[in-house]
Every structure is written in C-alpha cells, then in structure tokens.
Amino acid sequence: EALKACGLPVLPTYRINHASNTVLMTNLRIKFPDSLSITLKDPTLIETPDFITDIDIEGLIKKIFSCAEIATRNNIRLSIDAFNVVVPKSGVGKTHLYLTDLEDVESPPHLPYTPQELLTKNRQDGIDFLTYFVEDYVHPSLKAEYLSKIPAE
C-alpha cells in the first residue's frame, strides 16, 4: 500500500508456493480481459503469445524512468523482479507496466545509497528488465529495433 500511496503503478499477482501446494492470486485479467501478464520469473507458468510484434517501447521506457524517480523520491529500492508488463493476447496493442513482484523491494529508513545512486540503481533494474523482456518475447525480426531504443544507463 505504501508504494501505491507514492503513486507507483502496483498490482498484486499470482504467488505459487510449491512446497505447500498453495496459490495466492489476483487475476490481472479482471482489469485486462484480453491481455497476458509477462514477468521474468518463470514464463512457463503462463501462456504467452508466440512473439510480441508491437509494443510502445518509448512509453515503457518513460514509465520505467517515472517509476524510478518516484521510488527514489520516496527512498524505495526497486528490483528487476518488481517490473511486469501486461500485453494483449495477440501480441499487438497497448502494453502496460506495473510493479508486481514486491518481495525484493526495499524501503528501510536509511538505504546505503546517495539519492543519485538510488536513482541509477532503480533505473538500471528497469532497463535490465525491459532488455530481457524484449530479448525473450519480441519477434526476432523486431528485437534489434526495440533494443536499439533502450538506453544504456
């Protein structure tokens, strides 16, 4: 709730505990009925389009940088696992970026970083996430184009 209160785009997601055979879930398809949620954790747990052929890479970069700035202003250390992209089932259309896997997100009273270091780390995790996302899910004929638009932090 603290992350939402800061203005960060947060949605709860599926959590599978294999040891106790339990699932805690909030279905993103309620808000996006024709979409799929893709994270870096384990893409075999969900059905994904063969390849994504149309994403707003500039919009995702802008959203990542906005999240990094908001998190930094609120002394929050994001993690690469926190980022999640929701895409249409078809692989074509509007994409949405959310923070969903929050177990590695830190917000202690005193993080061991200067504000600039924290901003750089938050941005880099978002950029790394987006790079892996493009490498894993974007159609091979479009990967180089999308990757060239992702800034090196």
Side-chain angles (χ1 to χ4, degrees):
E1 290 301 314
L3 297 179
K4 267 189 176 180
C6 296
L8 290 167
V10 178
L11 286 176
T13 59
Y14 294 94
R15 294 288 178 263
I16 299 174
N17 182 335
H18 295 287
S20 64
N21 296 322
T22 60
V23 178
L24 171 66
M25 63 183 136
T26 297
N27 195 342
L28 293 175
R29 290 188 187 192
I30 291 170
K31 186 170 182 177
F32 305 103
D34 295 322
S35 299
L36 297 169
S37 170
I38 298 177
T39 68
L40 299 179
K41 282 282 189 171
D42 188 351
T44 62
L45 293 177
I46 59 171
E47 172 190 354
T48 60
D50 289 337
F51 287 106
I52 296 167
T53 57
D54 180 30
I55 58 172
D56 176 11
I57 195 81
E58 290 90 357
L60 290 174
I61 293 166
K62 185 177 177 182
K63 189 77 168 185
I64 285 169
F65 282 10
S66 172
C67 287
E69 289 167 14
I70 292 168
T72 299
R73 277 196 309 270
N74 290 278
N75 201 43
I76 296 168
R77 172 70 172 100
L78 300 175
S79 72
I80 191 170
D81 290 340
F83 296 93
N84 183 294
V85 175
V86 178
V87 299
K89 287 181 193 176
S90 65
V92 177
K94 186 160 176 65
T95 53
H96 304 272
L97 180 89
Y98 289 98
L99 301 177
T100 57
D101 187 347
L102 306 178
E103 66 190 65
D104 293 327
V105 171
E106 298 177 274
S107 185
H110 304 287
L111 287 171
Y113 311 111
T114 67
Q116 186 57 49
E117 289 171 333
L118 182 58
L119 178 62
T120 299
K121 288 178 180 302
N122 283 338
R123 282 184 173 178
Q124 189 61 54
D125 276 351
I127 290 303
D128 289 347
F129 162 81
L130 190 57
T131 300
Y132 296 138
F133 173 80
V134 169
E135 289 173 347
D136 289 346
Y137 297 107
V138 169
H139 193 278
S141 67
L142 300 170
K143 281 184 190 187
E145 175 187 344
Y146 284 127
L147 289 171
S148 72
K149 294 179 181 181
I150 299 173
E153 234 345 86

